[in-house]
């Protein structure tokens, strides 16, 4: 199910604190970085914070620049992004700035919390119950399907950031490091304890902004069952590889990437790679990995087109090669049409053998692009 692109944004001190808990609140960002945050806010469809952050910081969460608000309205968007908060209990202060500035407001809560939030807020905000407990996947799906949110900026607090990262739902982390030490043991930290992805995140940008440093990261670890944000990155990579295939009128152009559970890329390949006119993408990628590599059982194969179940050019189709390699998970963008093989069902072969197969149809157009000449 599609979710919005989820961007986590935070500023921390050198000792990892979010802010100072003393009577004089310590601002970690510089004026230039506050302007950068304003620019990011203007680019998104919604901004989300936890109810605890509303109570602790009483933020307004506005796009402050009149020029940026004007640009949004010129594009046919509201001047301010949708403001979203999450609360399990419905414990919300109706006098908080959050409710009386900016545009529309939305509260996600539980069945129990919805009764209290609706009573306290009245018509100030829309209240949506997620059931007996908070379910981040249901929340993101509702934002995407019902509210049309495609880019979501999450500004805190630490509990919200922790849960989204641990559940593999964050597409990007924007972290600003301030040259300050808070030194207060009671000051809140950005992330809490728990299980995070095992490998290293991918650093995609560093930027000096006055005396602070912006670092942007992407998660790399594949999901385990439910879709993780990193799955979209790797599947896009596979689709981009398909564009490298030598053109053919008798075979699809396909790209594939094999990724270990900790986010390490093990190999990649594409159709007709290396001058071999009949090699398939998954075949090319798997051939580059030692069959005894202990990471293979926990790996994910990303393929722009579902692995083939039958082929004439080689004894073993790609679905069979994946099973022989012991890979337990496959993510693909596009089910194979009947263009060359009728009723192809590589996904069914893999599923029957116990492989977890995930289809992300939102990438289908990208997978089809280098094959447009083969499609009706």
């Amino acid at each position: 199910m599609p979710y919005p692109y989820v961007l986590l944004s935070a500023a921390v001190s050198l000792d990892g604190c979010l802010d100072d808990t003393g009577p004089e609140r310590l601002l970690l960002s510089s004026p230039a970085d506050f302007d950068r945050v304003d620019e990011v806010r203007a680019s998104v469809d919604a901004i989300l914070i936890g109810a605890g952050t509303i109570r602790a910081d009483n933020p307004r969460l506005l796009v402050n620049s009149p020029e940026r608000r004007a640009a949004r309205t010129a594009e046919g968007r509201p001047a301010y992004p949708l403001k979203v908060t999450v609360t399990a209990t419905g414990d919300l202060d109706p006098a908080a700035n959050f409710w009386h500035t900016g545009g529309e407001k939305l509260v996600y809560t539980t069945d129990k919390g919805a009764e209290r939030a609706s009573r306290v807020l009245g018509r100030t905000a829309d209240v949506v119950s997620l059931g007996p407990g908070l379910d981040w996947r249901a929340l993101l799906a509702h934002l995407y399907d019902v509210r049309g949110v495609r880019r979501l900026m999450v500004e805190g607090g630490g509990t919200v950031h922790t849960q989204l990262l641990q559940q593999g739902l964050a597409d990007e982390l924007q972290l600003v490091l301030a040259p300050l030490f808070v030194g207060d043991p009671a000051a809140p930290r950005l992330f809490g304890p728990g299980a995070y992805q095992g490998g290293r995140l991918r650093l995609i940008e560093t930027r000096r902004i006055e005396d602070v440093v912006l670092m942007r990261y992407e998660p790399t670890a594949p999901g385990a069952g439910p879709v993780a944000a990193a799955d979209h990155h790797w599947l896009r990579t596979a689709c981009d590889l398909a564009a490298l295939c030598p053109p053919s009128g008798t075979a699809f152009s396909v790209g594939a990437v094999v990724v270990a559970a900790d986010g390490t890329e093990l190999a990649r390949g594409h159709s007709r790679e290396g001058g071999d006119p009949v090699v398939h993408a998954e075949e090319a990628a798997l051939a580059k990995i030692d069959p005894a590599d202990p990471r293979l059982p926990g790996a994910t194969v990303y393929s722009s087109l579902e692995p083939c179940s039958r082929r004439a050019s080689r004894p073993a189709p790609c679905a069979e090669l994946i099973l022989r390699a012991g890979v337990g998970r496959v993510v693909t963008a596009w089910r194979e049409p009947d263009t060359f093989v009728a009723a192809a069902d590589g996904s069914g072969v893999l599923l029957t053998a116990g492989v977890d197969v995930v289809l992300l149809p939102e990438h289908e157009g990208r997978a089809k692009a280098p094959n447009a000449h083969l499609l009706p």
Side-chain angles (χ1 to χ4, degrees), residues 94-350:
N97 291 331
F98 184 90
W99 312 111
H100 304 288
T101 57
E104 290 186 82
K105 290 88 181 175
L106 178 60
V107 177
Y108 285 106
T109 183
T110 61
D111 291 340
K112 184 176 180 181
E115 184 178 334
R116 181 177 184 181
S118 298
R119 183 176 66 251
V120 167
L121 296 176
R123 300 191 178 199
T124 304
D126 291 335
V127 177
V128 175
S129 172
L130 298 172
L134 293 177
D135 182 335
W136 279 107
R137 294 181 184 275
L139 183 156
L140 293 175
H142 186 274
L143 278 176
Y144 189 97
D145 292 335
V146 178
R147 301 307 298 249
V149 172
R150 297 298 180 262
R151 287 183 63 85
L152 173 67
M153 182 180 187
V154 181
E155 295 199 39
T159 300
V160 170
H161 281 137
T162 295
Q163 291 176 354
L164 287 169
L165 266 179
Q166 290 183 346
Q167 294 183 40
L169 295 172
D171 294 275
E172 181 181 335
L173 170 62
Q174 294 191 358
L175 184 63
V176 165
L177 183 63
L180 297 165
F181 293 98
V182 173
D184 185 342
R189 262 56 183 178
L190 177 56
F191 300 119
Y196 295 89
Q197 74 158 71
R200 301 166 77 92
L201 277 70
R202 179 183 301 104
L203 179 64
I204 55 177
E205 182 189 4
T206 59
R207 191 193 321 168
R208 179 177 176 178
I209 306 173
E210 292 181 343
D211 66 342
V212 304
V213 177
L214 168 68
M215 296 167 287
R216 295 175 55 222
Y217 294 93
E218 286 182 343
T220 59
V227 178
D231 289 331
H232 295 281
H233 164 79
W234 290 117
L235 192 54
R236 285 193 297 267
T237 300
C239 292
D240 291 343
L241 288 169
L244 302 178
C245 300
S248 171
T250 58
F252 289 114
S253 293
V254 182
V257 188
V258 185
V259 182
D262 66 355
T264 301
E265 180 181 325
L266 300 181
R268 59 175 62 190
H270 59 79
S271 304
R272 301 176 292 284
E273 180 178 303
D276 186 336
V278 297
V279 72
H280 286 195
E282 303 92 327
E283 177 187 15
L286 289 169
K288 299 169 186 172
I289 306 172
D290 183 346
D293 192 318
R295 297 171 293 180
L296 274 172
T300 296
V301 170
Y302 295 90
S303 181
S304 59
L305 178 67
E306 74 172 328
C308 62
S309 58
R310 301 192 303 277
R311 64 187 292 190
S313 57
R314 293 278 163 82
C318 290
E320 179 62 30
L321 294 176
I322 289 169
L323 294 177
R324 290 181 188 178
V327 173
R329 187 169 183 264
V330 172
V331 178
T332 184
W334 180 26
R335 297 295 302 271
E336 184 176 354
D338 291 342
T339 308
F340 302 116
V341 178
D345 188 19
S347 297
V349 171
L350 294 167

Side-chain angles (χ1 to χ4, degrees), residues 59-80:
R60 298 185 304 157
L61 294 185
L62 301 177
V63 175
N64 293 309
S65 164
E67 293 77 16
R68 290 176 182 137
R69 295 197 300 272
R72 286 178 60 91
T73 56
E75 295 168 357
R77 298 191 292 166
Y80 297 99

Side-chain angles (χ1 to χ4, degrees), residues 74-85:
E75 295 168 357
R77 298 191 292 166
Y80 297 99
L82 174 70
K83 297 203 295 189
V84 184
T85 191

